[in-house]
Amino acid sequence: VKIVALCGGVGGSKLITGLHLEFPDDTLAVIVNTADDVILHGLNISPDLDTVMYTLAGSSNPNTGWGLEGDTFHGLEMMRTYGHDAWFKIGDRDMVTHLLRTAQLAAGGTLTSVTADLAQRLGVGRTILPMTNDRVVTRVRTRGGWLDFQDYFVRRGHTDRPLAVEHVGAAQASPTPQVLDAIAEAGIIVAAPSNPVVSIGPILTIPRMLDAIRDAPAPTVAVSPIIGSRSVTGPADALMQAVGFEPTVAGLAEMYKPWLDTLVVDSRDINRAGEIESLGLISKATDTLMPDVAAKRRLARFVVEAAR
Ligand code: GDP
Ligand code: CA
């Protein structure tokens, strides 16, 4: 089976690990959000692409989910010595990824080709596809005005109440041919439990992406990152409210119903199954927390079987 997954960063990568380990003989292509990419210190940083890449390379930091295991931060200290406000945590080895990406993009490479090259060098045997080669930037409006996504998320630690979200450049962006081919040829399309507003949202906002998924013969299945009325981690709940959806699996079903067949929710939300099914979706409940590899594999198997 050809598994195609839509993914953001740390949360989604937990399920990607499960799919990777549980289905070694199937193809796996991951379409990754790039709307929280940022240029800092002259470096092109793609946080979600790198999280997926390090995860599939088996070298991600198990404590944080982002960055490289055992990385050091001397480079950031040097940035501070030079008087730079180094609020975005970049490890020393991680910095080399950004350096090479920046150099290869400057030499005319596309984000798709650069990502493929970096991933292959790291020994990744799976396909990692940026959603687009064009520049898309998520911004969050707060009481103080519009903030670039990493400013809101990392620098200010998502402490501001989000009031609105936009993806600047999305309307002019195109999905890559590689992304469109993967979707058309997919045997199953899985939306990982990534942030619906700022990880899965930007992917679907790109013109033609939604139609490509709707036109694809593959069944679609999503895992909820929301349990009860809270995100498992991070500000997905507040961001869903900011864009007009209830931060529950019912709200998520409302948000995803234009393209989704099956929603996998946590067992604690089994009482919302009726609402989900009244929207025309199939609801499947299981334990959706992924604290360890066994849980990631078990959920990955459940998701693929739920879609069939
Ligand atoms: P980011 O780009 O690094 O913020 O990561 P993602 O967008 O891929 O994932 C963030 C989402 O993952 C959050 O909304 C969390 O609620 C969700 N999440 C994190 N861990 C888990 C888990 O173990 N199970 C489920 N179902 N969701 C999770
Ligand atoms: Ca992200």
Side-chain angles (χ1 to χ4, degrees):
V1 50
K2 290 190 172 171
I3 304 169
V4 171
L6 312 180
C7 189
V10 174
S13 290
K14 295 182 186 176
L15 187 71
I16 301 300
T17 298
L19 291 167
H20 170 58
L21 296 176
E22 197 64 16
F23 299 97
D25 301 326
D26 300 289
T27 63
L28 172 62
V30 189
I31 298 171
V32 183
N33 171 46
T34 60
D36 52 18
D37 287 15
V38 62
I39 298 175
L40 289 172
H41 321 297
L43 299 172
N44 287 74
I45 303 175
S46 297
D48 288 355
L49 278 174
D50 288 344
T51 294
V52 171
M53 182 168 78
Y54 297 154
T55 296
L56 286 171
S59 47
S60 69
N61 182 329
N63 303 317
T64 56
W66 53 265
L68 287 157
E69 181 164 28
D71 213 348
T72 51
F73 290 85
H74 305 296
L76 273 197
E77 276 309 312
M78 193 64 175
M79 293 269 188
R80 294 194 185 105
T81 301
Y82 280 121
H84 285 252
D85 183 9
W87 50 270
F88 195 85
K89 296 180 199 70
I90 306 169
D92 297 327
R93 287 190 293 134
D94 185 32
M95 200 170 310
V96 176
T97 305
H98 311 320
L99 271 170
L100 293 180
R101 174 187 296 115
T102 305
Q104 291 179 23
L105 288 173
T110 64
L111 190 57
T112 301
S113 66
V114 172
T115 302
D117 179 64
L118 294 170
Q120 193 224 323
R121 302 278 178 165
L122 287 180
V124 173
R126 304 298 201 164
T127 306
I128 303 176
L129 300 174
M131 64 185 194
T132 180
N133 289 321
D134 302 321
R135 186 135 184 83
V136 180
V137 181
T138 294
R139 299 201 309 165
V140 177
R141 189 162 64 82
T142 68
R143 270 175 47 174
W146 285 98
L147 299 174
D148 282 350
F149 182 73
Q150 298 300 352
D151 211 5
Y152 157 79
F153 192 73
V154 176
R155 187 181 214 162
R156 299 173 61 85
H158 52 80
T159 50
D160 305 87
R161 189 155 76 89
L163 302 173
V165 178
E166 65 174 8
H167 309 295
V168 180
Q172 294 79 42
S174 316
T176 66
Q178 291 87 344
V179 161
L180 292 176
D181 285 349
I183 290 171
E185 290 163 13
I188 165 176
I189 298 172
V190 181
S194 289
N195 189 310
V197 182
V198 296
S199 291
I200 303 296
I203 301 176
L204 298 169
T205 306
I206 294 178
R208 292 195 288 141
M209 198 72 87
L210 206 54
D211 285 338
I213 293 173
R214 273 191 284 207
D215 292 348
T220 52
V221 57
V223 180
S224 176
I226 305 278
I227 300 179
S229 53
R230 300 289 301 272
S231 12
V232 176
T233 60
D237 42 13
L239 287 163
M240 280 180 75
Q241 279 181 299
V243 298
F245 291 92
E246 183 186 86
T248 63
V249 291
L252 188 66
E254 188 72 54
M255 208 172 162
Y256 283 179
K257 80 176 172 192
W259 55 275
L260 189 65
D261 298 320
T262 303
L263 182 60
V264 174
V265 306
D266 196 81
S267 305
R268 281 166 273 183
D269 284 321
I270 201 149
N271 58 322
R272 310 300 294 260
E275 285 165 84
I276 295 166
E277 299 200 333
S278 72
L279 294 168
L281 303 181
I282 299 164
S283 171
K284 300 266 186 185
T286 188
D287 179 3
T288 61
L289 285 179
M290 295 176 280
D292 52 35
V293 175
K296 292 170 187 172
R297 296 183 71 142
R298 197 198 55 76
L299 185 58
R301 164 95 29 210
F302 183 92
V303 165
V304 169
E305 276 163 13
R308 285 206 179 111

